[in-house]
């Protein structure tokens, strides 16, 4: 497909951003990445992030990259003045739920103020087509399952991180109402896991992982002794928490489909879409699948429930199928196999530098 349009990707060096950059390049988009390296690795503050270097190797294409913060209006404006940008995909955010409870202002400042600065610079430079990384967390505790886009949002968002996603969605709604040239698509991710099948890029959490899949992967590779399973007394198939895990490559393709939507002249305003498989899997089912994919034992211990957790969460993703022509294609075996491929080739993430 001939493309040639230019996409500015904020947070392009991060986990979901980097996988989306690969898809964009493969669809012949030009990519400009902005990342302040708060959660991405580079050999030095002035060098291209390691994930992007590897993508250039993988795709044979080049990425324009700026190690800047979206909150710095002057720097951001320079990028918009230097390049003719058609679309923005906005990934840049802090994303740790626990940290957001301890440092709420940091999260509101980075995720909400940062988004406002970005939207302001976009408006001033007449770039008014935006795809935003949202989360199923905006639905709070599900009133019914599966979750569809009509489920109320913002009620029962128990942590500042989740609230930032809800607030930014509200800001985008107001922006689109105020100016009919604006279109914004909010993609509500369920639980992204997996890695590019090359094993060159993947999830590289700093410190102890909060999320299940990277924790399991680090147990399998010997970096952690055992997994703590947070509760076995939920009303689920085996008592452990159930989530809708989605392969990050499927998620990445969802972003490209969202950009395609902007070519439809009838598409206007703000629209959210769920990106999930529609299928829930329990913690113990994930452990079993990972054991099979890796051939490694995954020792675990059942501990108390994690505060703020819900029993089950999975998507009704039929709207994305109907309107974006998108559905998930990769199953849990691919999710575990690709995670293991990445983790075993890069036991210490990007700093290992041994991937080939
Ligand atoms: P990530 O931390 O790997 O990527 C985010 C990137 O943004 C990082 O590289 C970080 O350095 C950069 N960044 C953060 N603040 C910035 C700023 N002020 N200026 C410039 N760059 C900045 O996270 P991810 O998992 O790739 O998540 C991407 C987006 O998707 C985030 O908005 C996140 O909230 C959302 N999301 C993620 C998940 C998930 O499980 N990974 C689930 C739902 C939603
Ligand atoms: C978490 C965040 C959510 C965020 C999402 C991104 C919380 C409360 N919620 O969701 O806001 O959008 O990540 O992917 O942090 N589990 C264990 N042991 C572990 C880790 C997790 O048993 O070491 C269990 C959890 O209890 C849950 C499941 O695994 O049942 C998935 O947990 P996790 O990967 O953290 O995702 P969420 O809780 O769905």
């Amino acid at each position: 497909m001939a493309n040639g349009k230019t996409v500015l990707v904020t947070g392009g060096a991060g986990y979901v951003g980097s996988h989306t950059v690969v898809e964009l390049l493969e669809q012949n988009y030009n990519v400009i990445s902005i990342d302040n390296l708060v959660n991405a690795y580079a050999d030095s503050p002035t060098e291209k992030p390691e994930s992007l270097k590897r993508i250039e190797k993988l795709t044979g294409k080049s990425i324009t990259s700026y190690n800047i913060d979206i909150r710095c209006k002057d720097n951001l404006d320079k990028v918009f003045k230097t390049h003719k940008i058609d679309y923005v995909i906005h990934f840049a955010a802090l994303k740790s739920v626990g940290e957001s409870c301890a440092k709420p202002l940091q999260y509101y400042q980075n995720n909400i103020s940062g988004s406002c600065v970005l939207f302001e610079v976009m408006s001033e430079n007449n770039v008014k087509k935006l795809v935003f990384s949202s989360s199923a967390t905006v639905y709070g505790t599900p009133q019914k399952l599966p979750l569809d886009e009509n489920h109320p949002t913002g009620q029962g968002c128990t942590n500042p991180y989740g609230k930032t996603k809800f607030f930014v969605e509200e800001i985008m709604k107001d922006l689109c109402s105020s100016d009919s040239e604006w279109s914004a698509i909010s993609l509500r991710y369920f639980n992204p896991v997996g890695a590019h099948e090359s094993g060159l890029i993947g999830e590289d959490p700093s410190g102890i992982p909060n999320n299940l899949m990277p924790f399991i992967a680090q147990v399998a590779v010997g970096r952690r002794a055992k997994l703590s399973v947070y509760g076995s007394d939920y009303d689920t198939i085996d008592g452990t928490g159930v989530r809708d895990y989605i392969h990050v490559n499927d998620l990445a393709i969802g972003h490209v489909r969202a950009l395609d939507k902007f070519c439809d002249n009838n598409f206007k305003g703000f629209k959210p879409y769920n990106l999930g498989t529609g299928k829930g899997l329990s913690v113990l089912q994930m452990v079993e699948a990972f054991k099979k994919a890796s051939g490694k034992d995954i020792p675990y211990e059942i501990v108390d429930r994690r505060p703020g957790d819900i029993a089950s969460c999975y998507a009704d993703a039929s709207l994305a199928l109907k309107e974006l022509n998108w559905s998930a294609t990769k199953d849990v075996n691919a999710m575990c196999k690709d995670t293991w491929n990445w983790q075993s080739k890069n036991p210490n993430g990007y700093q290992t530098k041994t991937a080939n």
Side-chain angles (χ1 to χ4, degrees), residues 130-275:
L130 169 74
V131 175
F132 175 64
S133 287
S134 188
S135 165
T137 196
V138 298
Y139 296 121
T141 303
Q143 294 172 6
K144 71 175 178 64
L145 289 168
L147 284 158
D148 66 29
E149 291 83 352
N150 294 320
H151 187 285
T153 58
Q155 299 173 11
C157 283
T158 51
N159 59 78
Y161 165 73
K163 288 180 193 170
T164 68
K165 294 294 168 193
F166 168 67
F167 292 148
V168 174
E169 285 200 353
E170 294 299 301
I171 291 166
M172 291 189 298
K173 280 183 203 167
D174 291 341
L175 191 53
C176 291
S177 309
S178 73
D179 179 348
S180 61
E181 288 177 5
W182 262 93
S183 313
I185 292 180
S186 189
L187 298 177
R188 295 176 177 161
Y189 312 161
F190 279 68
N191 290 58
V193 295
H196 190 270
E197 60 183 8
S198 63
L200 281 174
I201 57 168
E203 187 169 14
D204 183 16
S206 46
I208 301 170
N210 300 305
N211 297 118
L212 180 66
M213 189 64 136
F215 204 106
I216 291 179
Q218 291 194 4
V219 172
V221 85
R223 267 176 83 179
R224 317 257 162 223
K226 64 176 179 225
L227 170 74
S228 296
V229 175
Y230 298 138
S232 61
D233 57 351
Y234 286 108
D235 183 15
T236 60
I237 181 168
D238 55 21
T240 65
V242 164
R243 297 290 184 274
D244 185 340
Y245 297 94
I246 167 143
H247 197 294
V248 67
N249 274 119
D250 279 331
L251 205 58
I253 292 167
H255 293 76
V256 178
R257 296 287 157 79
L259 294 185
D260 292 344
K261 193 78 186 159
F262 292 139
C263 297
D264 171 357
N265 288 331
N266 295 321
F267 182 78
K268 294 261 178 305
F270 172 84
K271 190 92 201 228
Y273 293 98
N274 285 342
L275 296 185

